[in-house]
Short mmCIF file of all heavy atoms in Angstrom, two decimals:
data_model
loop_
_atom_site.label_atom_id
_atom_site.label_comp_id
_atom_site.label_asym_id
_atom_site.label_seq_id
_atom_site.Cartn_x
_atom_site.Cartn_y
_atom_site.Cartn_z
N GLU A 102 116.19 13.15 229.71
CA GLU A 102 115.78 12.21 230.75
C GLU A 102 115.03 12.92 231.89
O GLU A 102 114.08 12.37 232.43
CB GLU A 102 116.98 11.44 231.29
CG GLU A 102 117.53 10.44 230.30
CD GLU A 102 118.66 9.60 230.87
OE1 GLU A 102 118.61 9.25 232.07
OE2 GLU A 102 119.60 9.29 230.11
N LEU A 103 115.46 14.12 232.23
CA LEU A 103 114.79 14.85 233.31
C LEU A 103 113.35 15.21 232.95
O LEU A 103 112.50 15.26 233.83
CB LEU A 103 115.59 16.11 233.67
CG LEU A 103 116.88 15.85 234.45
CD1 LEU A 103 117.70 17.12 234.56
CD2 LEU A 103 116.57 15.26 235.82
N ALA A 104 113.08 15.42 231.68
CA ALA A 104 111.71 15.70 231.25
C ALA A 104 110.78 14.56 231.67
O ALA A 104 109.64 14.80 232.06
CB ALA A 104 111.65 15.94 229.75
N GLY A 105 111.27 13.34 231.63
CA GLY A 105 110.48 12.19 232.06
C GLY A 105 110.22 12.16 233.56
O GLY A 105 109.35 11.42 234.02
N HIS A 106 110.95 12.97 234.30
CA HIS A 106 110.76 13.10 235.75
C HIS A 106 109.98 14.37 236.10
O HIS A 106 109.90 14.75 237.28
CB HIS A 106 112.11 13.11 236.47
CG HIS A 106 112.86 11.82 236.38
ND1 HIS A 106 112.62 10.76 237.23
CD2 HIS A 106 113.82 11.41 235.53
CE1 HIS A 106 113.41 9.76 236.91
NE2 HIS A 106 114.16 10.12 235.87
N GLY A 107 109.45 15.04 235.09
CA GLY A 107 108.67 16.25 235.33
C GLY A 107 109.49 17.50 235.56
O GLY A 107 109.00 18.48 236.12
N ILE A 108 110.75 17.48 235.12
CA ILE A 108 111.62 18.65 235.25
C ILE A 108 111.72 19.34 233.89
O ILE A 108 112.17 18.74 232.91
CB ILE A 108 113.04 18.25 235.71
CG1 ILE A 108 113.01 17.60 237.10
CG2 ILE A 108 113.98 19.46 235.70
CD1 ILE A 108 112.66 18.52 238.25
N GLY A 109 111.31 20.60 233.82
CA GLY A 109 111.49 21.39 232.62
C GLY A 109 112.91 21.92 232.58
O GLY A 109 113.58 22.03 233.61
N SER A 110 113.39 22.25 231.40
CA SER A 110 114.74 22.80 231.25
C SER A 110 114.70 23.97 230.27
O SER A 110 113.93 23.95 229.30
CB SER A 110 115.70 21.74 230.70
OG SER A 110 115.81 20.65 231.59
N VAL A 111 115.54 24.95 230.52
CA VAL A 111 115.67 26.11 229.62
C VAL A 111 117.11 26.59 229.68
O VAL A 111 117.74 26.62 230.74
CB VAL A 111 114.68 27.24 230.01
CG1 VAL A 111 114.93 27.77 231.41
CG2 VAL A 111 114.71 28.36 228.99
N ALA A 112 117.66 26.94 228.50
CA ALA A 112 119.01 27.49 228.42
C ALA A 112 118.93 28.95 228.01
O ALA A 112 118.13 29.31 227.14
CB ALA A 112 119.84 26.70 227.40
N ILE A 113 119.75 29.78 228.65
CA ILE A 113 119.77 31.22 228.40
C ILE A 113 121.20 31.63 228.04
O ILE A 113 122.15 31.22 228.71
CB ILE A 113 119.27 32.00 229.63
CG1 ILE A 113 117.85 31.58 229.99
CG2 ILE A 113 119.37 33.51 229.41
CD1 ILE A 113 117.32 32.13 231.29
N MET A 114 121.31 32.42 226.99
CA MET A 114 122.61 32.94 226.56
C MET A 114 122.59 34.45 226.79
O MET A 114 121.76 35.16 226.24
CB MET A 114 122.84 32.61 225.08
CG MET A 114 124.31 32.64 224.64
SD MET A 114 125.21 34.20 224.78
CE MET A 114 124.31 35.22 223.62
N SER A 115 123.53 34.93 227.60
CA SER A 115 123.54 36.33 228.01
C SER A 115 124.80 37.09 227.60
O SER A 115 124.97 38.25 227.99
CB SER A 115 123.37 36.43 229.53
OG SER A 115 122.17 35.83 229.94
N ASN A 116 125.70 36.47 226.87
CA ASN A 116 126.97 37.13 226.52
C ASN A 116 126.78 38.32 225.59
O ASN A 116 125.81 38.40 224.84
CB ASN A 116 127.91 36.13 225.84
CG ASN A 116 128.59 35.22 226.83
OD1 ASN A 116 128.56 35.45 228.04
ND2 ASN A 116 129.19 34.16 226.33
N ASP A 117 127.76 39.21 225.62
CA ASP A 117 127.84 40.36 224.73
C ASP A 117 128.19 39.84 223.33
O ASP A 117 129.33 39.41 223.09
CB ASP A 117 128.91 41.32 225.23
CG ASP A 117 129.16 42.50 224.32
OD1 ASP A 117 128.44 42.65 223.31
OD2 ASP A 117 130.09 43.28 224.62
N ILE A 118 127.24 39.88 222.41
CA ILE A 118 127.47 39.31 221.08
C ILE A 118 128.32 40.21 220.20
O ILE A 118 128.88 39.74 219.20
CB ILE A 118 126.16 38.92 220.38
CG1 ILE A 118 125.28 40.14 220.12
CG2 ILE A 118 125.43 37.85 221.17
CD1 ILE A 118 124.09 39.85 219.20
N ALA A 119 128.45 41.48 220.56
CA ALA A 119 129.34 42.35 219.78
C ALA A 119 130.79 41.89 219.98
O ALA A 119 131.58 41.87 219.03
CB ALA A 119 129.18 43.80 220.21
N ALA A 120 131.13 41.50 221.18
CA ALA A 120 132.47 41.02 221.48
C ALA A 120 132.64 39.53 221.15
O ALA A 120 133.75 39.08 220.88
CB ALA A 120 132.79 41.26 222.96
N TYR A 121 131.54 38.78 221.15
CA TYR A 121 131.57 37.33 220.91
C TYR A 121 130.51 36.96 219.87
O TYR A 121 129.46 36.39 220.20
CB TYR A 121 131.36 36.57 222.22
CG TYR A 121 132.54 36.74 223.14
CD1 TYR A 121 132.64 37.84 223.98
CD2 TYR A 121 133.59 35.83 223.10
CE1 TYR A 121 133.75 38.02 224.78
CE2 TYR A 121 134.71 36.01 223.90
CZ TYR A 121 134.78 37.10 224.74
OH TYR A 121 135.89 37.29 225.52
N PRO A 122 130.77 37.25 218.59
CA PRO A 122 129.78 36.99 217.55
C PRO A 122 129.42 35.51 217.39
O PRO A 122 128.36 35.19 216.86
CB PRO A 122 130.42 37.55 216.27
CG PRO A 122 131.84 37.78 216.59
CD PRO A 122 131.97 37.91 218.07
N ALA A 123 130.25 34.60 217.87
CA ALA A 123 129.91 33.17 217.81
C ALA A 123 128.69 32.85 218.68
O ALA A 123 128.10 31.78 218.53
CB ALA A 123 131.10 32.32 218.25
N ASP A 124 128.33 33.78 219.55
CA ASP A 124 127.17 33.58 220.43
C ASP A 124 125.93 34.32 219.94
O ASP A 124 124.92 34.35 220.63
CB ASP A 124 127.51 34.05 221.85
CG ASP A 124 128.55 33.17 222.53
OD1 ASP A 124 128.68 31.99 222.15
OD2 ASP A 124 129.23 33.66 223.44
N ALA A 125 125.98 34.92 218.76
CA ALA A 125 124.85 35.68 218.21
C ALA A 125 123.64 34.76 217.98
O ALA A 125 123.79 33.55 217.82
CB ALA A 125 125.26 36.35 216.91
N PRO A 126 122.44 35.33 217.99
CA PRO A 126 121.22 34.52 217.85
C PRO A 126 121.22 33.59 216.63
O PRO A 126 120.74 32.46 216.74
CB PRO A 126 120.12 35.58 217.75
CG PRO A 126 120.64 36.72 218.57
CD PRO A 126 122.12 36.74 218.28
N GLU A 127 121.77 34.02 215.50
CA GLU A 127 121.80 33.13 214.33
C GLU A 127 122.65 31.90 214.61
O GLU A 127 122.31 30.79 214.19
CB GLU A 127 122.38 33.85 213.10
CG GLU A 127 121.76 35.19 212.78
CD GLU A 127 122.33 36.33 213.64
OE1 GLU A 127 123.56 36.50 213.78
OE2 GLU A 127 121.49 37.07 214.19
N GLU A 128 123.77 32.10 215.31
CA GLU A 128 124.65 30.98 215.66
C GLU A 128 124.00 30.11 216.74
O GLU A 128 124.16 28.88 216.73
CB GLU A 128 126.01 31.49 216.12
CG GLU A 128 126.79 32.17 215.02
CD GLU A 128 127.03 31.25 213.82
OE1 GLU A 128 127.40 30.08 214.03
OE2 GLU A 128 126.81 31.70 212.68
N MET A 129 123.29 30.75 217.67
CA MET A 129 122.56 29.98 218.68
C MET A 129 121.54 29.06 218.00
O MET A 129 121.45 27.88 218.33
CB MET A 129 121.82 30.93 219.64
CG MET A 129 122.69 31.77 220.54
SD MET A 129 121.72 33.05 221.40
CE MET A 129 120.56 32.06 222.34
N ARG A 130 120.80 29.60 217.05
CA ARG A 130 119.78 28.83 216.33
C ARG A 130 120.42 27.66 215.57
O ARG A 130 119.95 26.53 215.63
CB ARG A 130 119.00 29.73 215.38
CG ARG A 130 117.91 29.01 214.60
CD ARG A 130 117.04 29.93 213.72
NE ARG A 130 117.74 31.05 213.12
CZ ARG A 130 117.70 32.31 213.56
NH1 ARG A 130 117.00 32.64 214.62
NH2 ARG A 130 118.36 33.26 212.93
N ARG A 131 121.53 27.95 214.90
CA ARG A 131 122.23 26.90 214.14
C ARG A 131 122.66 25.76 215.06
O ARG A 131 122.44 24.59 214.77
CB ARG A 131 123.45 27.50 213.43
CG ARG A 131 124.20 26.48 212.57
CD ARG A 131 125.58 26.98 212.16
NE ARG A 131 126.44 27.38 213.26
CZ ARG A 131 127.03 26.54 214.12
NH1 ARG A 131 126.84 25.25 214.03
NH2 ARG A 131 127.80 27.01 215.08
N TRP A 132 123.26 26.12 216.19
CA TRP A 132 123.75 25.10 217.14
C TRP A 132 122.60 24.31 217.75
O TRP A 132 122.68 23.08 217.87
CB TRP A 132 124.61 25.78 218.21
CG TRP A 132 125.60 24.89 218.87
CD1 TRP A 132 126.36 23.91 218.29
CD2 TRP A 132 125.97 24.90 220.24
NE1 TRP A 132 127.17 23.32 219.22
CE2 TRP A 132 126.96 23.92 220.43
CE3 TRP A 132 125.57 25.67 221.33
CZ2 TRP A 132 127.55 23.67 221.67
CZ3 TRP A 132 126.16 25.41 222.56
CH2 TRP A 132 127.13 24.43 222.73
N ALA A 133 121.55 25.00 218.15
CA ALA A 133 120.38 24.33 218.74
C ALA A 133 119.76 23.35 217.74
O ALA A 133 119.37 22.24 218.10
CB ALA A 133 119.35 25.35 219.19
#
């Protein structure tokens, strides 16, 4: 909805993936 108001959005994942493999790029891609 915010895109319709001219607001861009971006999500950033910064966690340590060695300690939290559920946050690894492959899992990020799957979830997205």
